[in-house]
Amino acid sequence: MVLLFTSNLDVSKWMVAPAPLPAENMLFPIIFLLLTPLSASKAELDAHYYDQTCPQLERIISETVLNASMHDTKVPARILRMFFHDCFITGCDASILLDSSATNKAEKDGLPNISVRSFYVIDDAKAKLENACPHTVSCADIIAIAARDVVAMSGGPYWNVLKGRKDGRVSKAYDTFNLPAPTFNVSQLIQSFAKRGLGVKDMVTLSGGHTLGFSHCSSFESRLRNFSSLHDIDPSINTEFALDLRKKCPKPNNNCNAGQYLDFTASVFDNDYYKQLLAGKGVFSSDQSLVGDCRTRWIVEAFAKDQSLFFKEFAASMLKLGNVRGSGDGEVRLNCRIAN
């Protein structure tokens, strides 16, 4: 993997050059859930939260993420997906990191999260931070900073992450079964985001995280054959593209790793995802639905035309997503996999 220094970061000046990336299962398969709204934390988040207690925080996390990504090109997609999955279930409380026990099956072992991996990157950063500034940095903040770093190192925008989250003590696998399918329409997606205090523009913007994504065939093959009584192939998909996907997802398919990148430039964070939607080449029907609805099409068109606008809005929406937190009192875990 070739790393190009492109942005004004301290140690996070990275951009991954386009290269075949065996990325993880769909980075952000519109992973939003229909639960009751989460209440805001009593404490306000602050970009300077650790300035006095752990000033080396950003450097340690950035170096850890960069090193892991140099050894495994799947890491950026996996970390960004981890952040989305954590925040959309019970808020950004690192509940996705907790291990299952003999009496409880945790989120990470719920079926929708089986393919969320690279937890070791967060473990590694946490161990280094415990040595540098013990009992100080939450696992939830590590995920949020690491998600920013993987976007920046892949050529995307950089933003100042607000910090001060606490780690949750509860993680339930059954919560993950409320995650919507990639077949959701725009109305269902808007409703899902509203449950998280996020608007229509946030929904379309954060869907752009699919620019680093990959999906296995099981999540979209229903669009390719016997779609309906009138259409063998989903009429919203480009026919040539659908036939290409059929070749990658044959019937029967004995390759469980077969699938498709959600963006043709899957190792680079850019606006090609939106260009593909306008060309009828959205892999998920939920993605393609953004073009077919007047409430969202204008946003897709704007982002496809102006990458800098997409970057600006993505950073803003990631900050809003990072503010989604649970109502329970949290803690700073000593080990991200186990509650204190």
Side-chain angles (χ1 to χ4, degrees):
M1 179 177 66
V2 179
L3 296 176
L4 304 177
F5 291 80
T6 59
S7 55
N8 296 322
L9 313 183
D10 293 332
V11 295
S12 315
K13 305 175 183 178
W14 325 296
M15 173 175 166
V16 179
L21 173 62
E24 188 47 36
N25 180 34
M26 51 185 176
L27 165 66
F28 186 35
I30 309 300
I31 297 302
F32 323 118
L33 90 128
L34 302 170
L35 294 177
T36 55
L38 301 177
S39 63
S41 172
K42 295 178 181 179
E44 291 296 324
L45 299 182
D46 183 355
H48 303 287
Y49 186 83
Y50 296 107
D51 282 2
Q52 301 301 318
T53 58
C54 193
Q56 61 272 61
L57 165 74
E58 299 257 356
R59 175 184 59 80
I60 289 174
I61 295 175
S62 296
E63 289 177 348
T64 302
V65 171
L66 175 60
N67 182 64
S69 299
M70 291 178 68
H71 289 86
D72 182 356
T73 55
K74 298 181 292 294
V75 165
R78 289 172 167 178
I79 295 296
L80 184 53
R81 187 175 183 224
M82 186 189 301
F83 176 69
F84 286 132
H85 280 224
D86 183 45
C87 294
F88 271 101
I89 293 181
T90 55
C92 307
D93 63 354
S95 55
I96 195 171
L97 301 180
L98 288 171
D99 285 340
S100 296
S101 67
T103 58
N104 177 65
K105 187 175 182 180
E107 288 174 28
K108 65 167 57 173
D109 292 321
L111 186 59
N113 278 342
I114 292 298
S115 59
V116 179
R117 300 171 184 169
S118 293
F119 296 109
Y120 72 90
V121 180
I122 307 301
D123 292 336
D124 189 17
K126 177 62 173 175
K128 293 174 181 176
L129 288 167
E130 283 301 310
N131 286 329
C133 34
H135 310 170
T136 301
V137 182
S138 69
C139 302
D141 279 342
I142 296 174
I143 297 177
I145 295 169
R148 184 274 315 279
D149 287 345
V150 298
V151 169
M153 67 181 284
S154 300
Y158 181 92
W159 60 93
N160 290 319
V161 175
L162 302 181
K163 311 169 188 75
R165 298 168 188 80
K166 299 302 181 184
D167 299 323
R169 300 183 179 93
V170 178
S171 181
K172 302 290 184 182
Y174 62 72
D175 286 340
T176 65
F177 287 97
N178 291 309
L179 300 174
T183 55
F184 264 29
N185 59 39
V186 169
S187 293
Q188 291 169 310
L189 295 176
I190 289 174
Q191 182 182 14
S192 297
F193 270 84
K195 297 289 184 180
R196 292 294 176 264
L198 299 167
V200 175
K201 185 167 65 174
D202 295 311
M203 183 267 286
V204 180
T205 302
L206 292 171
S207 296
H210 277 154
T211 185
L212 297 180
F214 177 87
S215 174
H216 291 134
C217 294
S218 58
S219 295
F220 60 83
E221 59 188 355
S222 63
R223 305 181 68 199
L224 309 179
R225 301 175 181 86
N226 303 315
F227 178 73
S228 70
S229 59
L230 297 178
H231 302 280
D232 184 37
I233 297 174
D234 182 349
S236 70
I237 193 172
N238 177 282
T239 302
E240 183 179 351
F241 182 56
L243 294 177
D244 181 60
L245 292 179
R246 277 187 175 185
K247 295 177 182 178
K248 296 179 178 180
C249 302
K251 286 291 188 179
N253 184 6
N254 297 319
N255 181 5
C256 62
N257 292 317
Q260 172 65 30
Y261 295 112
L262 304 182
D263 183 330
F264 296 149
T265 57
S267 63
V268 179
F269 195 97
D270 56 23
N271 67 338
D272 279 5
Y273 161 80
Y274 298 103
K275 296 177 182 178
Q276 286 181 212
L277 296 188
L278 293 175
K281 297 181 180 181
V283 177
F284 300 134
S285 59
S286 54
D287 284 341
Q288 198 59 55
S289 71
L290 301 179
V291 173
D293 193 295
C294 63
R295 293 171 292 180
T296 52
R297 182 182 176 93
W298 69 274
I299 306 174
V300 173
E301 291 175 337
F303 289 162
K305 182 179 180 180
D306 188 343
Q307 179 168 277
S308 63
L309 175 63
F310 165 50
F311 281 11
K312 177 182 177 181
E313 294 296 340
F314 189 83
S317 291
M318 285 289 281
L319 285 170
K320 290 179 66 175
L321 175 61
N323 271 319
V324 179
R325 288 176 285 168
S327 58
D329 293 331
E331 62 185 10
V332 174
R333 287 184 216 142
L334 303 183
N335 181 334
C336 289
R337 294 174 178 265
I338 306 170
N340 294 342

